[in-house]
Amino acid sequence: MEEFVTLTYNGQEIKLPVVIGTEGEKAIDISGLRQDTGFITLDPGYANTGSCLSAITYMDGEKGILRYRGIPVEQLAENATFKETAYLLINGKLPNRDQLTRFSVMLNDNSLVHEDLKAFYQNFPRASHPMGILSSMVNALRSFYPELGTTEEEINSTMTRLLAKVRTMAAMSYKISRGHRVVYPRPDMTYCENFLNMMFDTPVKPYEINRAAVNALRVFWILHADHEQNCSTSAVRVVGSARVNLYAAISSGIAALWGPLHGGANQAVIEMLTAIQANGGDYKKAIERAKDKNDPFRLMGFGHRVYKTYDPRAKIMKKMCDELLDSLQIDDPMLDLAKELEEAACNDAYFIDHNLYPNIDFYSGIVLRAVGIPTNMFTVMFAIGRLPGWIAQWKESMDDPKWKICRPRQVYTGNLQYDFIPIHARI
Ligand code: ACO
């Protein structure tokens, strides 16, 4: 039976339909509100706004649940490859053997990038941030690979091309930034092995595959693969809604992810822990600063718009971090500091009252450090992981029969009309 919410204003009653998701989430459909009443809604930061119906990712921030296409992220982190996870997100179900083989072949065939792209890299100033470079380069792919097409096969080929090339481009940017020879992808390696080999193989020191590092990267990428309508995914959907090409939409997602309140937090956490270490390890002072409303400082890697309990991804990341450091026999004092800081914050009344718990970024930086990834590449690693999610969300929005260009409204608070003042009369 259809449910409604009744809105009453000045004696007038309006019935608004209730939409219920498969997990029982409820929303009020206000799509006819302005037309029927002249009102719009006001929701800064969209904290109460559902922007779409989506069948990709389910999360419950109160219970700490995250599922991709119905499968708990814990099970995927335990059993799946990143490639399977990407396929699952984009196509809606896990691939069978034949589908996986076809997908692997397509990824391999598309993994090289146009040699002329190297010239672009070489002309960025040395100090450029890799996220700025990646965002520009992904946008530039449209010029190198102009064929987009509209058939399912053509769209699949553009999506696979992106998945294959972004990984190569990320490793390439690292090599070029170090002034080293670029290492090409190899057909005999898995998606994760290939990336590490392209990053760390050199003519004087061949890269030896390290199982623990490969596994850490697999889990890291799976945990980042999608997170429903977060800031960067919303950027991809909003920009994509103007019907720009996929490269431009993904490029905008990368730009949004760069921010320290979003994906840039993994770099910000390491910078924060380094600063605390440099000041003698006084993490309690950092906690006091984070609580001080006159100080803009926030505890990086803490808090989340949706999770009001421990981020399920952070749980897996923390466990994996311990195992990785053990297996690589690394004694990282930063991990000890992170654990002390976490314990103190989680027992502090301010953090308890505000439901602030560690998010995925709190431990992910320590994992990436152990794998050998330089700090300024951390958010690029996040971007490679999030790529399947962005692509899946873009595809879902393009296939939506109720698709509309994204165009929010506003409540204007500026000047009322007044006449133009000639320059000699202005004060
Ligand atoms: N440290 C201290 N206080 C915090 C923190 C923090 N990390 N996060 C939120 N708060 C406080 C705010 O000061 C505010 O307090 P008040 O209600 O007393 O004024 C309250 O908690 C709510 O904060 P908002 O900023 O309104 O929460 P919002 O949902 O808008 O922001 C965000 C979420 C951006 C993640 C925030 O928690 C934050 O800045 N965290 C640090 C950055 C970070 O780790 N980002 C990664 C997020 S996960 C990801 O994108 C992969």
Side-chain angles (χ1 to χ4, degrees):
M1 200 184 63
E2 224 182 328
E3 290 183 31
F4 292 90
V5 162
T6 308
L7 189 70
T8 311
Y9 184 75
N10 273 350
Q12 189 198 353
E13 275 195 357
I14 303 116
K15 277 170 88 182
L16 299 165
V18 171
V19 179
I20 306 178
T22 46
E23 288 284 348
E25 280 176 309
K26 289 187 176 174
I28 303 168
D29 180 352
I30 56 146
S31 49
L33 185 70
R34 187 168 180 278
Q35 197 180 352
D36 294 345
T37 67
F39 277 95
I40 59 166
T41 55
L42 184 62
D43 185 19
Y46 309 136
N48 305 282
T49 297
S51 61
C52 58
L53 299 178
S54 179
I56 301 172
T57 289
Y58 173 65
M59 62 187 287
D60 181 327
E62 273 71 36
K63 295 194 186 128
I65 294 174
L66 177 62
R67 297 180 199 139
Y68 300 158
R69 299 288 189 180
I71 304 178
V73 73
E74 292 81 359
Q75 290 182 22
L76 290 165
E78 190 70 37
N79 303 301
T81 62
F82 177 61
K83 216 185 282 178
E84 284 175 310
T85 308
Y87 188 99
L88 168 74
L89 283 166
I90 296 169
N91 298 289
K93 57 183 178 47
L94 286 167
N96 62 28
R97 252 180 233 287
D98 285 351
Q99 289 164 331
L100 189 59
T101 307
R102 266 196 66 209
F103 188 45
S104 301
V105 169
M106 278 172 77
L107 285 172
N108 179 55
D109 289 353
N110 280 292
S111 59
L112 286 176
V113 295
H114 199 295
E115 287 290 312
D116 288 355
L117 271 167
K118 274 196 218 160
F120 275 61
Y121 280 108
Q122 266 139 2
N123 288 312
F124 276 102
R126 276 277 148 148
S128 304
H129 193 284
M131 282 298 273
I133 300 179
L134 188 65
S135 173
S136 317
M137 298 302 289
V138 167
N139 215 344
L141 281 178
R142 169 73 172 88
S143 312
F144 287 88
Y145 305 95
E147 60 285 0
L148 294 165
T150 49
T151 65
E152 199 172 327
E153 203 179 323
E154 288 163 337
I155 293 172
N156 277 343
S157 133
T158 305
M159 293 188 301
T160 320
R161 187 181 292 135
L162 252 174
L163 281 171
K165 293 196 192 309
V166 165
R167 178 197 57 174
T168 308
M169 285 158 61
M172 194 168 166
S173 68
Y174 172 66
K175 283 292 191 194
I176 292 175
S177 74
R178 300 203 64 194
H180 285 181
R181 183 173 68 83
V182 166
V183 176
Y184 291 100
R186 281 179 30 183
D188 57 326
M189 289 186 171
T190 66
Y191 194 89
C192 297
E193 288 169 357
N194 238 320
F195 178 76
L196 292 174
N197 188 61
M198 285 191 277
M199 285 284 288
F200 302 123
D201 185 64
T202 76
V204 290
K205 197 166 179 233
Y207 178 68
E208 278 177 35
I209 301 281
N210 180 299
R211 286 284 129 229
V214 171
N215 186 51
L217 188 59
R218 177 190 70 82
V219 175
F220 175 91
W221 277 342
I222 289 175
L223 294 181
H224 284 86
D226 193 49
H227 216 217
E228 51 119 302
Q229 308 313 316
N230 55 84
C231 177
S232 55
T233 302
S234 299
V236 170
R237 279 192 180 250
V238 170
V239 173
S241 80
R243 295 287 190 209
V244 296
N245 64 81
L246 177 60
Y247 303 116
I250 299 292
S251 161
S252 70
I254 296 172
L257 190 71
W258 190 0
L261 296 190
H262 191 14
N266 56 14
Q267 179 174 340
V269 169
I270 294 295
E271 286 163 359
M272 174 185 79
L273 293 174
T274 308
I276 296 174
Q277 271 178 334
N279 285 325
D282 189 358
Y283 58 85
K284 290 186 183 138
K285 198 167 156 204
I287 293 179
E288 289 314 309
R289 279 192 66 196
K291 291 172 3 182
D292 180 356
K293 291 289 163 213
N294 297 316
D295 188 334
F297 175 79
R298 282 186 168 196
L299 220 49
M300 287 292 131
F302 263 76
H304 197 274
R305 171 60 63 79
V306 180
Y307 292 125
K308 299 303 165 202
T309 181
Y310 213 102
D311 179 340
R313 304 165 303 169
K315 262 188 213 159
I316 304 171
M317 193 68 84
K318 182 180 180 184
K319 185 164 164 277
M320 196 255 279
C321 186
D322 272 328
E323 290 166 1
L324 178 70
L325 296 195
D326 254 12
S327 131
L328 297 178
Q329 297 181 331
I330 296 176
D331 184 17
D332 189 345
M334 198 170 271
L335 179 63
D336 300 331
L337 173 63
K339 283 184 176 168
E340 282 174 317
L341 177 63
E342 180 200 332
E343 191 172 342
C346 287
N347 286 307
D348 186 288
Y350 172 92
F351 285 83
I352 295 170
D353 292 349
H354 284 76
N355 292 318
L356 296 170
Y357 296 89
N359 58 51
I360 187 168
D361 291 320
F362 194 66
Y363 286 104
S364 66
I366 300 173
V367 167
L368 292 177
R369 246 160 75 98
V371 172
I373 309 290
T375 311
N376 69 352
M377 286 279 289
F378 284 4
T379 317
V380 168
M381 301 301 291
F382 189 156
I384 303 173
R386 182 55 55 86
L387 197 52
W390 286 332
I391 293 175
Q393 301 271 353
W394 173 86
K395 185 169 181 268
E396 186 177 67
S397 69
M398 291 299 114
D399 293 343
D400 184 353
K402 291 196 174 156
W403 165 87
K404 267 179 176 311
I405 187 166
C406 293
R407 204 306 187 181
R409 288 186 174 260
Q410 61 167 17
V411 176
Y412 176 69
T413 58
N415 290 327
L416 293 178
Q417 179 177 332
Y418 68 104
D419 290 332
F420 177 81
I421 306 166
I423 193 150
H424 64 266
R426 292 177 212 161
I427 38 171

